[in-house]
Amino acid sequence: NETNNAGDNMYSQEKNQGVINIDQRFSMNPQLSKRLNMTLDGEVRIVLNIYLQGDWTNNDNQGPCTNDCEELNVTLWAGATKIIRQHVPQVSSGWNPITITHRITEEQVLWDASTANPSIQLEMKVKGDEQASWLGSTTGTPANFTMRLSGDGQTRVELPIDPTSWEEGFQSDESP
């Protein structure tokens, strides 16, 4: 049972038994329409708020995962260019505020409007093992992955945009 609840400012997938495969890419909307110059060594900050239920760690004897689960991975893209990919093993059941930071390198300074629209990719495999038991009760735990979307500011990407980005000469394709 997969549900996308964008109207509720949430993205969610849930399954009582089996693995839910999260591989979602969320792009900036509206799309980037200007060239941006990032501040060299400036800090990118990714803030997420994710709710988890089920198991996502393989072979730890704590739940149903054997080799069919995957811990959370978060990737920031500028178009097709990977800026940072971060493995996030320190999550637990319930709501998880997650902050990832990255320093802009020399190769990551220029973000061209035509090819560098920012997006966040989330990858994770969560397994549920909830089963009905005697007299209608249940055992185990369903798999649930829910993320608050950006409408309330609990999920966001902060970019270190250099003030030179707004200069007329920079936008008209002249060298910065």
Side-chain angles (χ1 to χ4, degrees):
N1 181 20
E2 181 179 314
T3 308
N4 296 327
N5 299 316
D8 295 339
N9 204 36
M10 301 271 200
Y11 168 81
S12 184
Q13 285 192 37
E14 187 171 1
K15 187 183 243 185
N16 289 340
Q17 284 187 20
V19 176
I20 53 175
N21 183 11
I22 308 301
D23 188 357
Q24 290 293 317
R25 198 160 172 164
F26 299 92
S27 297
M28 187 174 92
N29 191 9
Q31 285 203 332
L32 186 62
S33 63
K34 296 190 179 292
R35 294 174 68 207
L36 296 179
N37 196 29
M38 299 296 159
T39 302
L40 181 62
D41 200 39
E43 183 179 85
V44 172
R45 180 178 296 266
I46 302 166
V47 179
L48 306 171
N49 197 352
I50 296 174
Y51 178 87
L52 294 170
Q53 191 175 12
D55 188 24
W56 49 87
T57 304
N58 289 316
N59 301 315
D60 66 352
N61 297 320
Q62 300 288 321
C65 289
T66 49
N67 285 320
D68 51 355
C69 297
E70 185 178 322
E71 293 178 332
L72 179 63
N73 289 291
V74 178
T75 307
L76 173 63
W77 297 90
T81 302
K82 184 186 329 178
I83 302 299
I84 179 177
R85 178 181 169 93
Q86 180 72 47
H87 176 75
V88 186
Q90 70 274 13
V91 294
S92 58
S93 290
W95 283 105
N96 293 270
I98 298 166
T99 301
I100 298 167
T101 60
H102 170 73
R103 294 280 180 195
I104 293 291
T105 65
E106 198 167 317
E107 298 80 29
Q108 299 170 336
V109 170
L110 181 63
W111 292 31
D112 193 321
S114 62
T115 60
N117 195 54
S119 64
I120 292 286
Q121 182 179 12
L122 303 173
E123 299 167 283
M124 187 174 198
K125 292 181 182 176
V126 183
K127 189 171 188 177
D129 67 346
E130 185 177 73
Q131 298 178 19
S133 62
W134 195 65
L135 293 177
S137 63
T138 59
T139 60
T141 306
N144 184 315
F145 179 99
T146 301
M147 183 177 79
R148 293 186 195 275
L149 299 177
S150 62
D152 60 7
Q154 292 194 39
T155 295
R156 63 188 180 278
V157 177
E158 299 169 3
L159 300 171
I161 300 171
D162 191 287
T164 61
S165 296
W166 314 122
E167 294 174 4
E168 192 174 318
F170 182 80
Q171 291 301 323
S172 63
D173 289 331
E174 293 177 16
S175 294

